[in-house]
């Protein structure tokens, strides 16, 4: 029963982060995808797709118990509407996976793999929480890239310099 409480809390967290993340994704022009603020930084396009895709990780984690970097299917587009649509689908799939998860699903161990080699394993409930934190972290990175490209940053947890409202 405790794991289902976590699942419901994670659904609420996904819903709470949904709108401000979507507003960011809606504002990223395809022409800015090659931008990198530093040679060691990832490109804005990769970061945009990552932010749109991380909710899918939650669904795959619950449904399959593991993610392998080599076999995980990534979206490959620069078309803004397709990225936003992909994001919406990923959020819905993550929420459905959490809603439909059994206690046994949530009690399993999550495994992160690379070419079949175990990188790390973690209890599913903890892995879902750290994945959501990872998603929010990358959205924060994306807002910095947005600012550096004069793309209006939406209100996230409160007003931004560009959006004086609350999300």
């Amino acid at each position: 029963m405790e794991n289902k409480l976590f699942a419901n809390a994670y659904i609420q967290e996904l819903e709470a982060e949904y709108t401000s993340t979507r507003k960011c994704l809606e504002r990223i022009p395809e022409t800015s995808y090659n931008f990198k603020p530093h040679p060691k930084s990832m490109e804005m396009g990769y970061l945009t797709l990552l932010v749109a895709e991380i909710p899918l990780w939650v669904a795959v984690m619950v449904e399959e118990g593991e993610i392998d970097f080599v076999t995980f299917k990534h979206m490959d587009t620069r078309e803004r509407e397709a990225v936003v649509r992909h994001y919406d689908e990923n959020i819905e799939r993550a929420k459905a996976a959490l809603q439909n998860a059994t206690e046994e699903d949530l009690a399993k161990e999550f495994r992160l793999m690379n070419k079949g080699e175990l990188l790390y394993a973690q209890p599913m409930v903890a892995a879902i929480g750290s994945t959501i934190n990872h998603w929010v972290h990358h959205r924060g990175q994306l807002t910095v890239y947005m600012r550096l490209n004069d793309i209006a940053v939406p209100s996230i947890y409160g007003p931004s310099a560009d959006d004086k409202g609350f999300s």
Side-chain angles (χ1 to χ4, degrees), residues 118-150:
L118 179 66
L119 298 177
Y120 79 87
Q122 183 177 29
M124 184 67 67
V125 170
I128 293 166
S130 62
T131 298
I132 292 172
N133 290 340
H134 188 78
W135 175 47
V136 170
H137 156 75
H138 281 304
R139 183 191 60 206
Q141 242 183 326
L142 187 61
T143 63
V144 172
Y145 282 40
M146 291 169 72
R147 175 68 66 228
L148 294 171
N149 281 273
D150 292 320

Side-chain angles (χ1 to χ4, degrees), residues 28 32-50 78 141-142 145 149:
I28 308 299
S32 67
Y33 268 37
N34 292 328
F35 171 77
K36 289 172 69 164
H38 185 275
K40 293 181 180 178
S41 299
M42 62 183 81
E43 289 185 349
M44 190 171 198
Y46 178 83
L47 183 57
T48 299
L49 293 172
L50 184 62
R78 290 179 175 246
Q141 242 183 326
L142 187 61
Y145 282 40
N149 281 273

Side-chain angles (χ1 to χ4, degrees), residues 95-106:
K95 289 171 30 181
L98 289 165
Q99 186 66 42
N100 296 327
T102 65
E103 282 289 320
E104 294 76 30
D105 293 332
L106 298 171

Side-chain angles (χ1 to χ4, degrees), residues 14-34:
L14 289 167
E15 290 172 343
E17 301 296 343
Y18 168 77
T19 301
S20 55
T21 303
R22 191 177 202 280
K23 285 179 183 178
C24 289
L25 296 172
E26 290 171 336
R27 296 175 186 197
I28 308 299
E30 297 89 353
T31 56
S32 67
Y33 268 37
N34 292 328

